[in-house]
């Protein structure tokens, strides 16, 4: 298996997507050792001069004025890892931890953290051996870094704590011994450098970004299918309408809709009907999905910068020999990006739910009520739409911005925090909710297309219909509905369906 070679500071979104979605070995491009060794030498020189350096020979946070003796410097770094490993909650997903390890590796390899090369090598060894620390998902407020979760990750590097290997949980020491990896003995600043940083918040937000991209693409396919199922007009997708507004994301999304809608026998069948305008859930899809794409693009820019940046403290500038304390660990940019993605996920689902409601309403869609024959005997899609409404409503609550909240910590030394970790962590359940809504929409739209037979939809939509029908048959009478939704969820995020959306629309695809 070919290794994915990362250049610290220049990692692409496509590479980050590959890390979180795959298990390729990871390597660093040549040239990282020089800056790392220069920053390490700068720390050693300043220590030898007897200077007080935050977190290197002083306490942490409110205890920064407390000097630590030279003989206790290694113990200081060990103790910060152990004491800060105070997280709670369910462990982060293995995919998230893999990405966190890669992000921390890339950040330290930039050469501004004052750590030895062996620390970076040990992080890479964990990734490539598939040793994934068990990291509790709760306990970070997204300022002074993701301290608690990164402490749990760092604990595994020193041979303490628990890890997962191939899905099996075990002691870190046992996993390292089996892989032939020696536990890391921390040197000056190394515990602090491992704990400080926004890598957990950023990894969670990146996973939310990639999910939002997939769901936005899925919504274009499902929404296009709804247009044909409801005998909707193609006029609202005309390029001239979108060009005069001038919103680039809206223009791009409208073009994607036109490509998916294509030439359709169903579309041609009602070109001269007397309907003047469609409901907003059909007619305003480019405007709403375009606004969602804009949020995705904004988040993508922020998160790519953050993934390539250095966010621990203090920072070591080897060329000048300076050690500077600042606040790059404050994850406000990540929190804002995650809040924007939450808005997009909520709106993708909200508009999808409205299209489902429109399709099951025979007065609007001109389809059988609840998309089933012999209504009364059969309830059809009645409760499936209720499920979609429940999921959409839940997302509305989850979309409340997390970044506007702040609680002081560390005896008011850390008096404003970002809440970026929760802002990013809540994207996963939101994405799952939206995936469920889109799955129900795809089922409803395909049912509507079947009721329009023998007329055909566009080539792209017929492919989407066939992908679904390969797993879910036509709903001819009431049956257990949940398995159909589960099968449709696998289709809505599948590569075959997403390939029907023109390439280049989404930042990382």
């Amino acid at each position: 298996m070919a290794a994915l070679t990362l250049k610290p500071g220049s990692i692409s979104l496509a590479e980050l997507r590959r890390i979180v979605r795959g298990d390729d070995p990871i390597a660093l491009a040549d040239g990282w050792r020089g800056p790392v060794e220069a920053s390490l030498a700068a720390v050693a020189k300043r220590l030898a001069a007897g200077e007080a350096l935050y977190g290197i020979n002083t306490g942490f946070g409110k205890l920064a004025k407390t000097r630590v003796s030279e003989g206790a410097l290694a113990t200081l770094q060990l103790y910060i890892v152990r004491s800060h490993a105070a997280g709670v909650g369910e462990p982060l997903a293995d995919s998230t931890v893999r990405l966190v390890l890669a992000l921390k590796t890339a950040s330290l390899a930039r050469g501004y953290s004052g750590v030895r090369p062996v620390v970076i090598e040990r992080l890479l060894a964990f990734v490539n051996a598939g040793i994934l620390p068990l990291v509790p998902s709760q306990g970070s407020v997204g300022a002074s870094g993701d301290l608690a979760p990164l402490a749990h990750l760092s604990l595994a590097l020193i041979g303490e704590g628990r890890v997962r290997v191939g899905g099996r949980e075990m002691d870190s020491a046992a996993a390292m011994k089996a892989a032939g990896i020696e536990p890391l003995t921390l040197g000056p600043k190394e515990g602090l450098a491992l704990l400080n940083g926004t890598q957990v918040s950023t990894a969670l937000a990146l996973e939310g970004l990639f999910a939002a991209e997939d769901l936005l693409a899925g919504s274009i396919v499902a929404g296009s299918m709804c247009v044909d199922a409801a005998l909707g007009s193609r006029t609202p997708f005309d390029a001239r309408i979108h060009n005069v507004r001038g919103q680039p994301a809206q223009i791009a999304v409208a073009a994607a809709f036109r490509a998916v809608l294509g030439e359709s026998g169903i579309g041609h069948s009602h070109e001269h009907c007397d309907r003047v305008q469609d409901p907003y859930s059909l007619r305003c899809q480019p405007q709403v999905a375009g606004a969602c794409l804009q949020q995705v693009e904004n988040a993508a820019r922020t998160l790519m910068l953050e993934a390539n940046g250095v966010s621990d403290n203090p920072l070591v500038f080897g060329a000048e020999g300076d050690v500077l304390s600042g606040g790059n660990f404050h994850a406000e940019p990540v929190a804002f990006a995650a809040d924007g993605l939450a808005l997009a996920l909520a709106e993708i689902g909200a508009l999808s739910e409205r299209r489902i409601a429109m399709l099951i309403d025979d007065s609007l869609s001109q389809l059988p009520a609840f998309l089933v024959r012999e209504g009364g005997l059969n309830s059809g899609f009645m409760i499936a739409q209720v499920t979609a409404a429940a999921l959409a409503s839940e997302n509305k609550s989850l979309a409340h911005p997390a970044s506007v909240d702040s609680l002081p910590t560390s005896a008011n030394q850390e008096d404003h925090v970002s809440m970026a970790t929760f802002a990013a962590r809540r994207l996963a359940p939101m994405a799952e909710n939206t995936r469920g809504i889109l799955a129900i929409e795809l089922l409803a739209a395909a049912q509507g297309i079947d009721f329009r037979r023998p007329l055909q939809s566009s080539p792209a939509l017929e492919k989407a219909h066939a992908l679904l029908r390969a797993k879910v048959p036509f709903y001819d009478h009431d049956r257990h509905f949940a398995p159909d939704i589960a099968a449709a969820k696998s289709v809505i995020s599948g590569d075959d369906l997403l390939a029907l959306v023109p390439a280049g629309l989404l930042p990382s695809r």
Side-chain angles (χ1 to χ4, degrees):
M1 187 183 298
L4 173 61
T5 300
L6 304 177
K7 183 178 180 181
S10 301
I11 304 171
S12 70
L13 286 172
E15 288 171 328
L16 293 167
R17 179 186 268 266
R18 183 175 162 188
I19 292 168
V20 79
R21 297 284 177 90
D23 57 2
D24 295 342
I26 294 174
L28 292 177
D30 292 340
W32 64 271
R33 287 181 180 274
V36 168
E37 289 171 348
S39 71
L40 178 64
V43 171
K45 183 177 180 181
R46 300 290 288 270
L47 281 174
E51 295 184 37
L53 300 174
Y54 173 75
I56 302 175
N57 59 4
T58 74
F60 306 101
K62 194 76 170 178
L63 302 175
K65 295 180 181 179
T66 303
R67 193 73 174 260
V68 177
S69 67
E70 182 178 351
L73 297 187
T75 303
L76 175 69
Q77 301 302 312
L78 174 62
Y79 281 5
I80 189 178
V81 172
R82 287 174 173 168
S83 69
H84 285 44
V88 298
E90 291 298 312
L92 295 175
D94 286 352
S95 60
T96 308
V97 175
R98 174 178 161 83
L99 184 54
V100 173
L101 286 166
L103 292 176
K104 179 56 80 173
T105 300
S107 177
L108 296 181
R110 290 285 305 277
Y112 296 100
S113 301
V115 303
R116 293 168 298 157
V118 68
V119 177
I120 296 161
E121 293 166 346
R122 200 58 44 85
L123 286 162
L124 274 177
F126 263 54
V127 174
N128 294 332
I131 301 174
L132 302 173
L134 278 183
V135 178
S137 56
Q138 294 172 285
S140 174
V141 295
S144 203
D146 292 314
L147 293 172
L150 285 174
H152 283 275
L153 181 136
S154 303
L155 203 63
L157 296 174
I158 64 175
E160 299 182 17
R162 303 279 286 174
V163 299
R164 272 197 291 251
V165 180
R168 188 165 67 91
E169 187 176 329
M170 64 181 70
D171 288 336
S172 177
M176 294 178 79
K177 183 177 180 180
I181 301 171
E182 288 291 322
L184 185 65
T185 300
L186 297 172
K189 194 183 181 296
E190 290 176 348
L192 182 60
L194 286 165
L195 268 58
N196 250 195
T198 63
Q199 286 79 32
V200 172
S201 300
T202 303
L204 288 164
L206 282 166
E207 287 197 280
L209 169 68
F210 302 144
E213 288 181 316
D214 293 349
L215 293 168
L216 181 58
S219 76
I220 291 172
V221 176
S224 296
M225 193 179 291
C226 282
V227 171
D228 262 6
L231 302 180
S233 173
R234 279 161 164 71
T235 300
F237 305 93
D238 190 299
R240 293 168 292 180
I241 293 173
H242 307 285
N243 289 340
V244 297
R245 191 179 199 184
Q247 292 284 353
Q250 178 181 320
I251 292 168
V253 166
F257 270 103
R258 289 194 300 275
V260 175
L261 285 165
E263 288 293 318
S264 163
I266 295 174
H268 289 308
S269 72
H270 60 94
E271 285 177 334
H272 304 294
C273 68
D274 59 359
R275 185 188 296 181
V276 178
Q277 291 184 330
D278 293 325
Y280 288 2
S281 60
L282 292 180
R283 184 169 24 128
C284 297
Q285 290 188 82
Q287 288 79 5
V288 177
C292 292
L293 176 59
Q294 184 65 64
Q295 294 298 321
V296 167
E297 289 174 342
N298 292 344
R301 281 190 291 271
T302 297
L303 295 175
M304 186 169 71
L305 289 169
E306 194 71 14
N308 283 288
V310 182
S311 55
D312 64 285
N313 182 63
L315 295 176
V316 183
F317 294 85
E320 301 89 350
D322 290 334
V323 180
L324 305 180
S325 285
N328 281 358
F329 49 67
H330 199 297
E332 196 84 344
V334 180
F336 277 21
D339 281 347
L341 287 171
L343 294 176
L345 288 167
E347 284 298 273
I348 292 167
L351 198 66
S352 173
E353 184 279 326
R354 287 294 81 204
R355 290 191 294 268
I356 299 166
M358 179 271 302
L359 286 179
I360 67 172
D361 187 339
D362 56 336
S363 66
L364 293 174
S365 66
Q366 303 175 50
L367 292 166
F370 300 106
L371 299 174
V372 71
R373 296 189 179 97
E374 295 187 78
L377 174 63
N378 292 301
S379 296
F381 280 65
M382 182 186 296
I383 303 304
Q385 185 269 327
V386 173
T387 296
L391 296 174
S393 181
E394 187 173 307
N395 271 358
K396 291 176 187 177
S397 295
L398 288 170
H400 184 280
S403 58
V404 298
D405 186 24
S406 179
L407 281 174
T409 60
S410 193
N412 279 310
Q413 176 77 3
E414 298 156 7
D415 57 353
H416 181 275
V417 300
S418 72
M419 298 299 179
T421 321
F422 170 68
R425 179 164 53 84
R426 58 73 141 92
L427 296 176
M430 290 189 72
E432 191 61 21
N433 288 344
T434 298
R435 188 173 293 109
I437 299 168
L438 288 173
I440 295 168
E441 181 188 2
L442 189 65
L443 290 167
Q447 188 81 354
I449 293 295
D450 285 332
F451 280 122
R452 303 299 181 193
R453 298 301 190 206
L455 294 173
Q456 294 286 300
S457 188
S458 71
L461 291 177
E462 287 296 338
K463 288 179 182 177
H465 183 275
L467 287 171
L468 181 68
R469 285 290 174 253
K471 294 190 174 184
V472 182
F474 176 74
Y475 197 91
D476 56 351
H477 59 81
D478 281 349
R479 61 175 183 254
H480 186 188
F481 213 120
D484 290 2
I485 298 173
K489 285 172 73 173
S490 70
V491 174
I492 202 68
S493 294
D495 288 340
D496 290 340
L497 186 131
L498 299 181
L500 301 176
V501 177
L505 178 68
L506 301 165
S508 78
R509 292 190 66 88

